[in-house]
Amino acid sequence: MFFFLNDGINFNKSGIEHAQVKRLRLFKHHEVPARIVTRQFALNLHEITRDAVIDDDDFVNLFDFFQGTMTYEARNFTIEDLQLPDGYEYEPEGVEKLHVKEKGKQIMIIAKRGADDERLNWVQYFGSNGRLVRMVWYDTRGFAALEQFFSFGTKLVSEQILAPSGMAVYQRYRMTSPQGEEETTLQRLLNYHGHDYEFADFEALTSFFLDQINLSTHTANTIIVDRTFELAYAVQSMDTAIYKVMHLHNNHLNDDDDILTSDLNFNYQYMIGNRKRWNGIIALTPWQRDEFVARYGATDPTVYEIPGAVTDQKILEKPHVPWQDRKKNSVIMVARLAPEKQQDVLIRAWQQVQKAFPDATLNFWGYSNGDTGQQLKELVKDLRTCLVSFKNYLQEGQYNHLKTAVKGTFTVFPKSPTFV
């Protein structure tokens, strides 16, 4: 079995996630067993994988694994399914929230997923003094998946992940350090094969999870780590034997003109510094492999050259548009709008292009990381660079709010829980 390891997956996918999905399809086409593996918690995880056309059998998530919900059959769970007692008072807030009171005192706030989505999103529970004490979040497949507990001032003190039965499978506790910083003090995995386990941090839990899926196949496995900055340490700390391969998804050097002594891309510093603890390294191009081998050697670990792009055969077989029918002097860049993609450099250079080709057009296709997209649009305006456009322009968090990926371990309400 091949495992393609990532931190998480969202509706807005970067090139790494696209590469993983296409690699999975390639392996399936050749009947080679493979699965995409992630570790971040997400209430809408299986909506994301369904959108990416990833079958449940081809995907493993850490929390999904311990919840026993990898192939859970979805159902609609609505306010009516809470079966609230008679005699409560109900006051709507807009079209998505409902305040529940008993004898004039608020005891609950219930929220559905959207104006046109009746599925339950979360429920807040209030104590006799009117303060928030507990909050329950619902998986989009129709079960309570996350329970959070609060002290005075809505301060999050503990939380637990739930199986569909309502039993807790994972707990973590939080406290404030003497320096005033919030810290996770303990993480516990409950009743896993009849035993409870405690972990010092999420990395240790990740290593344990990877060991469990490695053992579950009863075969020799290979793990390809596609996000090494986040996951290299956890993979190196596994107790079970597995063939470990790190993937260079972009340039590992900060200076291409100095391949022997240049400092490294920060995403790969730790990984390359510990390269002898790995079995293989994947470079995307022959040039990258040559640069890596020139500096570190071709073995210990073995360096492979494997292109990252995979194009479906059905796309390759489509008839090509004749050159005479194509739009002249048109350039398209497909990438996230992000500083490391250097779209600002291309916009500045486009001024020179338009001096020679006044009708030349530049189109950016990709969603925006943070406010990078807005900054690029302002740069176009400031430079008065015409014939530059942005397609599929989306600010981070402005995707369809029903498709907002909820990642990982959790933050305080009213935001959806997210990992940091």
Side-chain angles (χ1 to χ4, degrees):
M1 174 76 74
F2 284 82
F3 296 120
F4 308 148
L5 183 59
N6 203 331
D7 196 39
I9 185 170
N10 299 310
F11 282 106
N12 281 344
K13 291 176 283 297
S14 75
I16 292 177
E17 286 71 52
H18 285 292
Q20 282 191 317
V21 172
K22 291 183 176 181
R23 188 194 306 148
L24 178 65
R25 292 174 186 166
L26 181 67
F27 275 54
K28 289 188 71 173
H29 177 75
H30 290 279
E31 299 182 349
V32 178
R35 285 179 169 178
I36 292 175
V37 180
T38 68
R39 66 173 182 171
Q40 297 290 4
F41 176 77
L43 293 168
N44 60 349
L45 180 63
H46 285 261
E47 290 188 345
I48 296 169
T49 55
R50 187 170 63 248
D51 180 73
V53 197
I54 302 172
D55 295 337
D56 286 348
D57 290 338
D58 300 326
F59 182 82
V60 189
N61 172 263
L62 183 152
F63 290 99
D64 223 14
F65 179 82
F66 292 120
Q67 286 174 286
T69 54
M70 290 170 55
T71 57
Y72 186 82
E73 186 174 348
R75 68 186 184 98
N76 285 337
F77 192 92
T78 67
I79 292 176
E80 286 71 23
D81 292 303
L82 290 176
Q83 298 181 345
L84 299 177
D86 295 333
Y88 282 175
E89 306 153 27
Y90 302 96
E91 296 180 4
E93 179 187 339
V95 295
E96 298 179 15
K97 295 180 183 178
L98 184 67
H99 292 252
V100 182
K101 297 182 179 181
E102 184 179 26
K103 297 180 180 180
K105 184 175 293 186
Q106 180 162 269
I107 58 173
M108 301 167 65
I109 299 178
I110 304 172
K112 59 183 185 179
R113 299 200 67 81
D116 300 318
D117 190 343
E118 295 295 326
R119 292 176 300 170
L120 211 58
N121 189 9
W122 51 258
V123 180
Q124 294 175 348
Y125 296 87
F126 296 82
S128 58
N129 58 358
R131 70 175 180 85
L132 176 69
V133 294
R134 185 166 71 101
M135 188 170 184
V136 178
W137 295 82
Y138 285 79
D139 191 283
T140 56
R141 292 171 290 174
F143 62 91
L146 167 65
E147 188 173 29
Q148 298 177 312
F149 299 91
F150 301 88
S151 64
F152 289 98
T154 65
K155 182 178 179 59
L156 179 63
V157 292
S158 68
E159 49 204 340
Q160 54 189 18
I161 301 293
L162 308 174
S165 66
M167 297 295 293
V169 299
Y170 165 87
Q171 294 176 332
R172 81 169 193 169
Y173 301 86
R174 300 170 71 96
M175 66 173 292
T176 303
S177 70
Q179 293 75 31
E181 299 176 350
E182 284 195 359
E183 297 178 342
T184 298
T185 58
L186 178 67
Q187 300 190 55
R188 302 176 65 206
L189 193 63
L190 305 177
N191 196 29
Y192 177 65
H193 294 327
H195 298 279
D196 296 345
Y197 298 85
E198 294 184 356
F199 302 93
D201 53 33
F202 192 46
E203 302 305 316
L205 174 60
T206 301
S207 298
F208 181 82
F209 159 64
L210 295 175
D211 282 327
Q212 300 313 300
I213 63 171
N214 188 28
L215 292 170
S216 69
T217 67
H218 305 290
T219 61
N221 301 309
T222 295
I223 188 165
I224 299 176
V225 184
D226 287 293
R227 290 218 180 257
T228 50
F229 179 80
E230 295 87 350
L231 295 158
Y233 181 81
V235 173
Q236 289 175 184
S237 302
M238 291 175 64
D239 290 329
T240 56
I242 192 169
Y243 194 87
K244 304 179 181 72
V245 180
M246 61 176 82
H247 202 304
L248 300 172
H249 275 281
N250 46 43
N251 200 340
H252 61 286
L253 301 173
N254 286 333
D255 185 355
D256 284 328
D257 295 325
D258 183 13
I259 64 173
L260 296 181
T261 62
S262 168
D263 56 348
L264 301 174
N265 180 329
F266 76 93
N267 287 292
Y268 303 122
Q269 284 178 345
Y270 175 82
M271 173 186 95
I272 294 176
N274 291 272
R275 63 191 178 280
K276 293 186 181 297
R277 301 178 67 178
W278 294 73
N279 303 105
I281 295 176
I282 295 176
L284 289 176
T285 67
W287 303 278
Q288 184 176 39
R289 183 186 185 279
D290 290 345
E291 289 179 352
F292 195 94
V293 168
R295 183 162 175 171
Y296 300 109
T299 58
D300 195 21
T302 303
V303 184
Y304 303 96
E305 175 209 325
I306 304 176
V310 178
T311 304
D312 292 341
Q313 190 64 30
K314 61 183 179 181
I315 294 178
L316 293 174
E317 292 172 353
K318 284 186 175 181
H320 292 192
V321 178
W323 280 104
Q324 63 270 21
D325 296 336
R326 300 187 186 190
K327 185 177 179 181
K328 185 180 179 181
N329 297 336
S330 178
V331 172
I332 297 173
M333 181 176 184
V334 182
R336 287 179 295 112
L337 304 182
E340 64 269 22
K341 302 300 183 181
Q342 300 185 58
Q343 285 103 341
D344 59 327
V345 176
L346 181 52
I347 290 171
R348 296 179 191 280
W350 203 250
Q351 291 181 299
Q352 303 301 315
V353 173
Q354 287 194 317
K355 289 180 180 178
F357 303 96
D359 63 340
T361 60
L362 173 61
N363 299 309
F364 292 104
W365 284 83
Y367 68 90
S368 174
N369 279 151
D371 62 352
T372 303
Q374 189 58 41
Q375 293 177 9
L376 293 173
K377 294 185 83 173
E378 291 174 358
L379 178 62
V380 171
K381 183 179 179 181
D382 292 342
L383 296 177
R384 298 181 180 179
T385 305
C386 59
L387 302 182
V388 177
S389 65
F390 296 84
K391 310 292 185 182
N392 191 30
Y393 175 76
L394 294 168
Q395 288 287 354
E396 198 169 46
Q398 290 182 342
Y399 206 67
N400 183 333
H401 74 281
L402 296 178
K403 291 187 174 182
T404 300
V406 183
K407 296 168 52 182
T409 313
F410 334 106
T411 56
V412 181
F413 88 105
K415 294 180 179 179
S416 296
T418 56
F419 249 133
V420 292

